[in-house]
Amino acid sequence: MERGSVTTPFGRRPMTLALLKGQLDIARSSNPNAVDKWHVFRDISEARALLGLGDRALAVLHALLSFYPEQQLSEGGRLVVFPSNAQLSIRAHGIAGSTLRRHLAALVDAGIVIRKDSPNGKRFARKDRSGAIEQAYGFSLAPLVARAEEFAQMAQRVVADRQRLRLLRERFSLARRDIAKLMSAAIAAGPPADWQTLEQRFLELSTVIGRASSAPELEATVHALDEFRIYLVKLLEIHLNSENSSTNDHQNEHHIENPESDSINESERAPEALPGEKSPSHLTELRTRQTIFPLSLVLRACPDITMYGPGGTIGSWRDLISAAIVVRSMLGVSPSAYQEACEAMGHENAATVMACILERAGHINTAGGYLRDLTAKARRGVFSLGPMLSALMKARGDAQLHGESHVAVARQPNERVRSSVVESIADR
């Protein structure tokens, strides 16, 4: 299209800068290749939302294209079609006149076609003596040739976005199903947690998505559901590990050596590592040096944790570990921090540490940070529960228990552990 062939609309329709810009862009563009009009139509159909077109506008465009005799559109050909409104209405499945005019205007505004109006606004073609079209007035299809590549890229982007949205909806459905079944299994198995709050959070995440939700909204929800699922899996994993810890008697070798050791109930003695657990060699070596104090001694030093056990009582290491998980969540300690403590100290000592932290929770600013600090010291082999329990019992004024814990500490084989003064919970 030549710059001199820019046309203005007939009658009351105004000329706008947007229409002028569209015609100038077409004039500057160049596409030497012929394009298939129906291929371009399919691309426009895919990208109709980006172009602001509805189904009726596409029906009108289809009717306009049907009036062009060739299937290939090229810059060298005459690309003006000039059907009357009556003919267009028939090929557009009987669309009403006012509706037809509205959608023709939408096609022009979207830069799909360009009006080329005659002096009197009629659409017709003037032919020479040989019968060839010399001049035509109607709708120019030149934008379909000039913008064919643009329409193809828009269609590809829409298809990719639709595929992404479909995959996100699949992930949303799978995550929602997994969480529902995991929560049912967890509630039936009985690991302690605030299930009412968790169920409410699950309902909020499950109902926030509707049919009109965008991909970013759906992606954020799927990410939240994935984190929720990971949390539930870890909770059940810890519960299963605690069950294994309480049922494998052959692991119950390391316990406190004091005059009462022969009378300690079997439920008070527990393994240093879970069956099949693959720990680094230095951690395994460290756990063999870690003493597990009698459960009765731990409960006498840290009685507050008893109310968090199943049924408000603690009768075994398994009950203490379950109560520690509840306390961990209540004090805001992350699952990863507690898991690292279990790996460094063993599940029983990690649960004992949580009981101690609960006992002096009012004196600790950040329970999670405090636990990570103790875990780091345990990895270095400079941590012992003895001073921690001793300080708690001393604070309670229980001289008998205080003396009993010191006996246990004195009998630990590692001199560095024995001489280390840990930053205990009872720091004054």
Side-chain angles (χ1 to χ4, degrees):
M1 178 186 291
E2 301 292 336
R3 284 183 173 81
S5 64
V6 170
T7 62
T8 59
F10 171 78
R12 296 181 180 179
R13 291 191 297 269
M15 182 62 181
T16 65
L17 291 179
L19 290 176
L20 177 61
K21 180 179 181 301
Q23 294 187 45
L24 291 176
D25 289 342
I26 298 302
R28 284 192 293 264
S29 65
S30 176
N31 183 5
N33 300 321
V35 298
D36 188 304
K37 63 181 181 181
W38 299 122
H39 287 174
V40 179
F41 176 76
R42 281 195 291 271
D43 290 339
I44 293 174
S45 298
E46 286 285 3
R48 62 184 179 275
L50 298 180
L51 294 168
L53 301 177
D55 295 341
R56 289 292 187 89
L58 291 177
V60 173
L61 177 60
H62 188 281
L64 281 173
L65 290 174
S66 70
F67 283 98
Y68 189 78
E70 305 294 334
Q71 184 159 334
Q72 298 294 318
L73 303 174
S74 63
E75 287 187 347
R78 293 193 174 276
L79 300 175
V80 177
V81 291
F82 42 89
S84 66
N85 282 355
Q87 292 173 317
L88 270 178
S89 177
I90 292 173
R91 294 201 185 183
H93 311 294
I95 190 171
S98 58
T99 305
L100 176 66
R101 288 189 293 273
R102 185 169 67 252
H103 292 299
L104 284 171
L107 291 173
V108 173
D109 292 340
I112 307 298
V113 297
I114 295 175
R115 290 183 186 274
K116 190 173 182 182
D117 289 344
S118 66
N120 61 2
K122 301 294 183 179
R123 299 177 204 138
F124 62 91
R126 196 184 309 278
K127 300 180 181 180
D128 58 18
R129 291 182 179 180
S130 63
I133 295 178
E134 191 176 53
Q135 185 65 269
Y137 299 99
F139 293 98
S140 173
L141 304 178
L144 299 181
V145 180
R147 301 180 63 189
E149 184 63 27
E150 178 189 350
F151 293 144
Q153 292 177 358
M154 294 173 70
Q156 291 173 6
R157 186 163 71 249
V158 169
V159 171
D161 289 344
R162 185 163 59 240
Q163 175 70 0
R164 176 190 174 203
L165 191 62
R166 184 181 67 80
L167 293 176
L168 284 172
R169 288 192 177 278
E170 288 181 0
R171 287 180 56 193
F172 173 77
S173 298
L174 289 174
R176 185 171 56 180
R177 183 189 69 190
D178 291 345
I179 291 173
K181 291 185 179 294
L182 285 171
M183 288 190 69
S184 298
I187 293 174
D194 188 356
W195 293 114
Q196 184 175 358
T197 301
L198 291 176
E199 287 178 341
Q200 181 62 32
R201 175 60 176 160
F202 176 51
L203 288 175
E204 292 174 357
L205 292 174
S206 299
T207 57
V208 72
I209 294 300
R211 294 183 63 86
S213 298
S214 63
E217 292 173 339
L218 192 56
E219 189 169 19
T221 303
V222 168
H223 180 70
L225 286 173
D226 286 341
E227 290 186 340
F228 199 114
R229 177 170 50 190
I230 291 172
Y231 171 79
L232 288 177
V233 171
K234 287 186 176 179
L235 184 65
L236 288 171
E237 184 180 8
I238 293 174
H239 178 67
L240 291 173
N241 289 340
S242 66
E243 284 187 337
N244 291 337
S245 298
S246 63
T247 56
N248 286 272
D249 295 336
H250 68 278
Q251 296 286 340
N252 300 333
E253 297 176 359
H254 306 288
H255 57 276
I256 189 168
E257 298 179 13
N258 61 29
E260 295 183 1
S261 61
D262 294 336
S263 63
I264 295 176
N265 188 286
E266 196 68 21
S267 65
E268 297 177 356
R269 295 153 56 180
E272 290 294 333
L274 297 176
E277 183 179 14
K278 297 181 181 179
S279 300
S281 59
H282 72 280
L283 287 182
T284 304
E285 191 178 335
L286 174 60
R287 290 186 187 180
T288 62
R289 299 198 302 265
Q290 287 285 346
T291 297
I292 297 179
F293 291 83
L295 180 62
S296 59
L297 188 149
V298 173
L299 295 179
R300 283 150 60 191
C302 309
D304 290 350
I305 200 169
T306 304
M307 69 180 69
Y308 298 97
T313 60
I314 293 178
S316 65
W317 280 109
R318 175 182 174 180
D319 293 343
L320 181 64
I321 291 171
S322 298
I325 295 173
V326 177
V327 171
R328 190 246 346 131
S329 177
M330 182 185 71
L331 295 179
V333 177
S334 67
S336 61
Y338 184 69
Q339 183 63 29
E340 290 173 5
C342 291
E343 292 172 356
M345 309 176 191
H347 289 267
E348 297 72 28
N349 282 342
T352 301
V353 169
M354 288 307 307
C356 294
I357 292 177
L358 174 66
E359 202 69 26
R360 296 302 301 272
H363 300 268
I364 300 174
N365 292 331
T366 306
Y370 187 80
L371 179 62
R372 287 188 185 276
D373 182 59
L374 296 183
T375 300
K377 292 181 179 180
R379 291 184 186 278
R380 298 196 304 269
V382 295
F383 171 70
S384 171
L385 273 169
M388 190 175 277
L389 293 172
S390 174
L392 286 172
M393 291 185 289
K394 184 177 180 180
R396 286 188 161 278
D398 192 335
Q400 178 183 357
L401 293 179
H402 177 58
E404 188 179 41
S405 69
H406 275 292
V407 171
V409 174
R411 294 184 180 180
Q412 294 185 48
N414 189 299
E415 180 65 28
R416 188 164 58 136
V417 172
R418 186 167 63 248
S419 62
S420 172
V421 180
V422 182
E423 291 182 23
S424 67
I425 297 176
D427 283 341
R428 293 185 289 278

PDB file of all heavy atoms in Angstrom, residues 55 59 74 126 165 175 179 246-247 278-279 287 294 304 315 323 328 342 351 383 392 406 423:
ATOM      1  N   ASP A  55     -16.831 -14.265  18.481  1.00  0.00           N
ATOM      2  CA  ASP A  55     -17.173 -15.277  17.486  1.00  0.00           C
ATOM      3  C   ASP A  55     -17.903 -14.681  16.280  1.00  0.00           C
ATOM      4  O   ASP A  55     -17.682 -15.098  15.135  1.00  0.00           O
ATOM      5  CB  ASP A  55     -18.033 -16.370  18.136  1.00  0.00           C
ATOM      6  CG  ASP A  55     -17.267 -17.134  19.201  1.00  0.00           C
ATOM      7  OD1 ASP A  55     -16.025 -17.070  19.178  1.00  0.00           O
ATOM      8  OD2 ASP A  55     -17.901 -17.788  20.049  1.00  0.00           O
ATOM      9  N   ALA A  59     -17.027 -14.754  12.237  1.00  0.00           N
ATOM     10  CA  ALA A  59     -17.958 -15.190  11.193  1.00  0.00           C
ATOM     11  C   ALA A  59     -18.022 -14.172  10.056  1.00  0.00           C
ATOM     12  O   ALA A  59     -18.077 -14.540   8.866  1.00  0.00           O
ATOM     13  CB  ALA A  59     -19.350 -15.414  11.804  1.00  0.00           C
ATOM     14  N   SER A  74      -1.528 -12.192  -1.790  1.00  0.00           N
ATOM     15  CA  SER A  74      -0.181 -11.658  -1.997  1.00  0.00           C
ATOM     16  C   SER A  74      -0.261 -10.156  -2.210  1.00  0.00           C
ATOM     17  O   SER A  74      -1.303  -9.611  -2.603  1.00  0.00           O
ATOM     18  CB  SER A  74       0.489 -12.331  -3.208  1.00  0.00           C
ATOM     19  OG  SER A  74      -0.224 -12.044  -4.396  1.00  0.00           O
ATOM     20  N   ARG A 126     -14.884  -1.075 -10.489  1.00  0.00           N
ATOM     21  CA  ARG A 126     -14.943  -0.482 -11.822  1.00  0.00           C
ATOM     22  C   ARG A 126     -14.021  -1.284 -12.734  1.00  0.00           C
ATOM     23  O   ARG A 126     -12.847  -1.530 -12.380  1.00  0.00           O
ATOM     24  CB  ARG A 126     -14.514   0.984 -11.762  1.00  0.00           C
ATOM     25  CG  ARG A 126     -14.895   1.797 -12.994  1.00  0.00           C
ATOM     26  CD  ARG A 126     -14.337   3.205 -12.854  1.00  0.00           C
ATOM     27  NE  ARG A 126     -14.697   3.810 -11.573  1.00  0.00           N
ATOM     28  CZ  ARG A 126     -15.867   4.401 -11.332  1.00  0.00           C
ATOM     29  NH1 ARG A 126     -16.787   4.428 -12.269  1.00  0.00           N
ATOM     30  NH2 ARG A 126     -16.108   4.943 -10.170  1.00  0.00           N
ATOM     31  N   LEU A 165      -1.910 -23.612  31.102  1.00  0.00           N
ATOM     32  CA  LEU A 165      -3.050 -23.575  32.002  1.00  0.00           C
ATOM     33  C   LEU A 165      -3.627 -24.975  32.221  1.00  0.00           C
ATOM     34  O   LEU A 165      -3.999 -25.334  33.344  1.00  0.00           O
ATOM     35  CB  LEU A 165      -4.128 -22.642  31.431  1.00  0.00           C
ATOM     36  CG  LEU A 165      -5.293 -22.279  32.355  1.00  0.00           C
ATOM     37  CD1 LEU A 165      -4.794 -21.524  33.570  1.00  0.00           C
ATOM     38  CD2 LEU A 165      -6.327 -21.443  31.611  1.00  0.00           C
ATOM     39  N   ALA A 175      -2.746 -32.416  43.240  1.00  0.00           N
ATOM     40  CA  ALA A 175      -2.316 -31.978  44.573  1.00  0.00           C
ATOM     41  C   ALA A 175      -3.489 -31.977  45.541  1.00  0.00           C
ATOM     42  O   ALA A 175      -3.354 -32.395  46.704  1.00  0.00           O
ATOM     43  CB  ALA A 175      -1.689 -30.582  44.485  1.00  0.00           C
ATOM     44  N   ILE A 179      -3.554 -34.357  48.874  1.00  0.00           N
ATOM     45  CA  ILE A 179      -3.651 -33.778  50.215  1.00  0.00           C
ATOM     46  C   ILE A 179      -4.870 -34.331  50.949  1.00  0.00           C
ATOM     47  O   ILE A 179      -4.800 -34.640  52.149  1.00  0.00           O
ATOM     48  CB  ILE A 179      -3.712 -32.240  50.128  1.00  0.00           C
ATOM     49  CG1 ILE A 179      -2.354 -31.698  49.655  1.00  0.00           C
ATOM     50  CG2 ILE A 179      -4.082 -31.622  51.463  1.00  0.00           C
ATOM     51  CD1 ILE A 179      -2.354 -30.216  49.379  1.00  0.00           C
ATOM     52  N   SER A 246      10.142 -47.063  68.394  1.00  0.00           N
ATOM     53  CA  SER A 246       9.599 -47.666  69.611  1.00  0.00           C
ATOM     54  C   SER A 246       9.408 -49.167  69.500  1.00  0.00           C
ATOM     55  O   SER A 246       9.196 -49.833  70.507  1.00  0.00           O
ATOM     56  CB  SER A 246       8.258 -47.008  69.948  1.00  0.00           C
ATOM     57  OG  SER A 246       7.332 -47.258  68.913  1.00  0.00           O
ATOM     58  N   THR A 247       9.482 -49.727  68.285  1.00  0.00           N
ATOM     59  CA  THR A 247       9.203 -51.159  68.116  1.00  0.00           C
ATOM     60  C   THR A 247      10.439 -51.985  67.815  1.00  0.00           C
ATOM     61  O   THR A 247      10.367 -53.203  67.743  1.00  0.00           O
ATOM     62  CB  THR A 247       8.203 -51.371  66.971  1.00  0.00           C
ATOM     63  OG1 THR A 247       8.701 -50.769  65.783  1.00  0.00           O
ATOM     64  CG2 THR A 247       6.858 -50.752  67.331  1.00  0.00           C
ATOM     65  N   LYS A 278      20.343 -43.844  56.576  1.00  0.00           N
ATOM     66  CA  LYS A 278      21.675 -43.674  56.028  1.00  0.00           C
ATOM     67  C   LYS A 278      22.225 -42.345  56.495  1.00  0.00           C
ATOM     68  O   LYS A 278      21.946 -41.306  55.916  1.00  0.00           O
ATOM     69  CB  LYS A 278      21.645 -43.734  54.498  1.00  0.00           C
ATOM     70  CG  LYS A 278      21.190 -45.084  53.966  1.00  0.00           C
ATOM     71  CD  LYS A 278      21.192 -45.100  52.461  1.00  0.00           C
ATOM     72  CE  LYS A 278      20.720 -46.445  51.939  1.00  0.00           C
ATOM     73  NZ  LYS A 278      20.687 -46.487  50.468  1.00  0.00           N
ATOM     74  N   SER A 279      22.992 -42.371  57.575  1.00  0.00           N
ATOM     75  CA  SER A 279      23.555 -41.147  58.120  1.00  0.00           C
ATOM     76  C   SER A 279      25.030 -41.080  57.779  1.00  0.00           C
ATOM     77  O   SER A 279      25.692 -42.113  57.614  1.00  0.00           O
ATOM     78  CB  SER A 279      23.386 -41.108  59.644  1.00  0.00           C
ATOM     79  OG  SER A 279      22.031 -41.163  59.976  1.00  0.00           O
ATOM     80  N   ARG A 287      26.287 -40.135  67.387  1.00  0.00           N
ATOM     81  CA  ARG A 287      25.116 -40.653  68.101  1.00  0.00           C
ATOM     82  C   ARG A 287      25.509 -41.725  69.108  1.00  0.00           C
ATOM     83  O   ARG A 287      24.862 -41.881  70.135  1.00  0.00           O
ATOM     84  CB  ARG A 287      24.115 -41.208  67.099  1.00  0.00           C
ATOM     85  CG  ARG A 287      23.445 -40.136  66.257  1.00  0.00           C
ATOM     86  CD  ARG A 287      22.380 -40.732  65.408  1.00  0.00           C
ATOM     87  NE  ARG A 287      21.847 -39.734  64.479  1.00  0.00           N
ATOM     88  CZ  ARG A 287      20.901 -39.987  63.609  1.00  0.00           C
ATOM     89  NH1 ARG A 287      20.378 -41.186  63.532  1.00  0.00           N
ATOM     90  NH2 ARG A 287      20.462 -39.040  62.795  1.00  0.00           N
ATOM     91  N   PRO A 294      16.987 -41.570  80.971  1.00  0.00           N
ATOM     92  CA  PRO A 294      15.718 -42.286  81.211  1.00  0.00           C
ATOM     93  C   PRO A 294      14.528 -41.366  80.964  1.00  0.00           C
ATOM     94  O   PRO A 294      14.572 -40.174  81.284  1.00  0.00           O
ATOM     95  CB  PRO A 294      15.814 -42.709  82.684  1.00  0.00           C
ATOM     96  CG  PRO A 294      17.269 -42.683  83.000  1.00  0.00           C
ATOM     97  CD  PRO A 294      17.867 -41.610  82.158  1.00  0.00           C
ATOM     98  N   ASP A 304       6.155 -30.018  81.712  1.00  0.00           N
ATOM     99  CA  ASP A 304       5.165 -29.280  80.918  1.00  0.00           C
ATOM    100  C   ASP A 304       4.790 -29.991  79.621  1.00  0.00           C
ATOM    101  O   ASP A 304       3.686 -29.806  79.099  1.00  0.00           O
ATOM    102  CB  ASP A 304       5.695 -27.882  80.582  1.00  0.00           C
ATOM    103  CG  ASP A 304       5.764 -26.986  81.804  1.00  0.00           C
ATOM    104  OD1 ASP A 304       5.214 -27.390  82.862  1.00  0.00           O
ATOM    105  OD2 ASP A 304       6.356 -25.898  81.709  1.00  0.00           O
ATOM    106  N   GLY A 315       3.769 -42.083  78.182  1.00  0.00           N
ATOM    107  CA  GLY A 315       4.154 -43.346  78.802  1.00  0.00           C
ATOM    108  C   GLY A 315       5.276 -44.053  78.077  1.00  0.00           C
ATOM    109  O   GLY A 315       5.707 -45.122  78.508  1.00  0.00           O
ATOM    110  N   ALA A 323       4.589 -35.810  71.140  1.00  0.00           N
ATOM    111  CA  ALA A 323       4.353 -34.540  71.830  1.00  0.00           C
ATOM    112  C   ALA A 323       5.344 -33.479  71.355  1.00  0.00           C
ATOM    113  O   ALA A 323       4.988 -32.306  71.213  1.00  0.00           O
ATOM    114  CB  ALA A 323       4.466 -34.743  73.342  1.00  0.00           C
ATOM    115  N   ARG A 328       6.875 -28.506  68.649  1.00  0.00           N
ATOM    116  CA  ARG A 328       7.646 -27.886  67.580  1.00  0.00           C
ATOM    117  C   ARG A 328       6.795 -26.951  66.745  1.00  0.00           C
ATOM    118  O   ARG A 328       7.161 -25.813  66.473  1.00  0.00           O
ATOM    119  CB  ARG A 328       8.235 -28.991  66.699  1.00  0.00           C
ATOM    120  CG  ARG A 328       9.245 -28.481  65.720  1.00  0.00           C
ATOM    121  CD  ARG A 328       8.914 -28.560  64.261  1.00  0.00           C
ATOM    122  NE  ARG A 328       7.863 -29.326  63.772  1.00  0.00           N
ATOM    123  CZ  ARG A 328       6.962 -28.865  62.915  1.00  0.00           C
ATOM    124  NH1 ARG A 328       6.976 -27.607  62.540  1.00  0.00           N
ATOM    125  NH2 ARG A 328       6.019 -29.640  62.447  1.00  0.00           N
ATOM    126  N   CYS A 342      16.970 -34.165  64.707  1.00  0.00           N
ATOM    127  CA  CYS A 342      16.797 -35.618  64.812  1.00  0.00           C
ATOM    128  C   CYS A 342      17.972 -36.355  64.182  1.00  0.00           C
ATOM    129  O   CYS A 342      18.432 -37.375  64.701  1.00  0.00           O
ATOM    130  CB  CYS A 342      15.486 -36.041  64.137  1.00  0.00           C
ATOM    131  SG  CYS A 342      14.001 -35.503  65.006  1.00  0.00           S
ATOM    132  N   ALA A 351      13.633 -34.910  70.792  1.00  0.00           N
ATOM    133  CA  ALA A 351      12.373 -34.710  71.513  1.00  0.00           C
ATOM    134  C   ALA A 351      12.637 -34.177  72.908  1.00  0.00           C
ATOM    135  O   ALA A 351      11.896 -33.328  73.420  1.00  0.00           O
ATOM    136  CB  ALA A 351      11.594 -36.023  71.571  1.00  0.00           C
ATOM    137  N   PHE A 383      27.977 -31.134  72.395  1.00  0.00           N
ATOM    138  CA  PHE A 383      26.683 -30.910  73.015  1.00  0.00           C
ATOM    139  C   PHE A 383      26.322 -32.104  73.892  1.00  0.00           C
ATOM    140  O   PHE A 383      26.530 -33.258  73.514  1.00  0.00           O
ATOM    141  CB  PHE A 383      25.615 -30.724  71.952  1.00  0.00           C
ATOM    142  CG  PHE A 383      24.208 -30.707  72.514  1.00  0.00           C
ATOM    143  CD1 PHE A 383      23.764 -29.645  73.280  1.00  0.00           C
ATOM    144  CD2 PHE A 383      23.359 -31.790  72.310  1.00  0.00           C
ATOM    145  CE1 PHE A 383      22.481 -29.648  73.795  1.00  0.00           C
ATOM    146  CE2 PHE A 383      22.086 -31.799  72.835  1.00  0.00           C
ATOM    147  CZ  PHE A 383      21.640 -30.717  73.568  1.00  0.00           C
ATOM    148  N   LEU A 392      17.617 -27.288  84.531  1.00  0.00           N
ATOM    149  CA  LEU A 392      16.167 -27.271  84.722  1.00  0.00           C
ATOM    150  C   LEU A 392      15.781 -27.824  86.084  1.00  0.00           C
ATOM    151  O   LEU A 392      14.909 -27.290  86.766  1.00  0.00           O
ATOM    152  CB  LEU A 392      15.482 -28.062  83.606  1.00  0.00           C
ATOM    153  CG  LEU A 392      15.439 -27.376  82.238  1.00  0.00           C
ATOM    154  CD1 LEU A 392      14.907 -28.340  81.184  1.00  0.00           C
ATOM    155  CD2 LEU A 392      14.571 -26.136  82.284  1.00  0.00           C
ATOM    156  N   HIS A 406      23.758 -35.220  87.411  1.00  0.00           N
ATOM    157  CA  HIS A 406      25.199 -35.035  87.400  1.00  0.00           C
ATOM    158  C   HIS A 406      25.928 -36.363  87.394  1.00  0.00           C
ATOM    159  O   HIS A 406      27.007 -36.494  86.817  1.00  0.00           O
ATOM    160  CB  HIS A 406      25.645 -34.198  88.600  1.00  0.00           C
ATOM    161  CG  HIS A 406      25.550 -32.721  88.333  1.00  0.00           C
ATOM    162  ND1 HIS A 406      26.361 -32.093  87.427  1.00  0.00           N
ATOM    163  CD2 HIS A 406      24.721 -31.771  88.841  1.00  0.00           C
ATOM    164  CE1 HIS A 406      26.072 -30.808  87.393  1.00  0.00           C
ATOM    165  NE2 HIS A 406      25.072 -30.591  88.233  1.00  0.00           N
ATOM    166  N   GLU A 423      25.287 -23.667  76.172  1.00  0.00           N
ATOM    167  CA  GLU A 423      24.370 -22.576  76.472  1.00  0.00           C
ATOM    168  C   GLU A 423      23.010 -23.188  76.735  1.00  0.00           C
ATOM    169  O   GLU A 423      22.202 -23.343  75.848  1.00  0.00           O
ATOM    170  CB  GLU A 423      24.276 -21.618  75.267  1.00  0.00           C
ATOM    171  CG  GLU A 423      25.512 -20.847  75.037  1.00  0.00           C
ATOM    172  CD  GLU A 423      25.329 -19.905  73.878  1.00  0.00           C
ATOM    173  OE1 GLU A 423      24.177 -19.557  73.566  1.00  0.00           O
ATOM    174  OE2 GLU A 423      26.332 -19.494  73.290  1.00  0.00           O
TER     175      GLU A 423
END
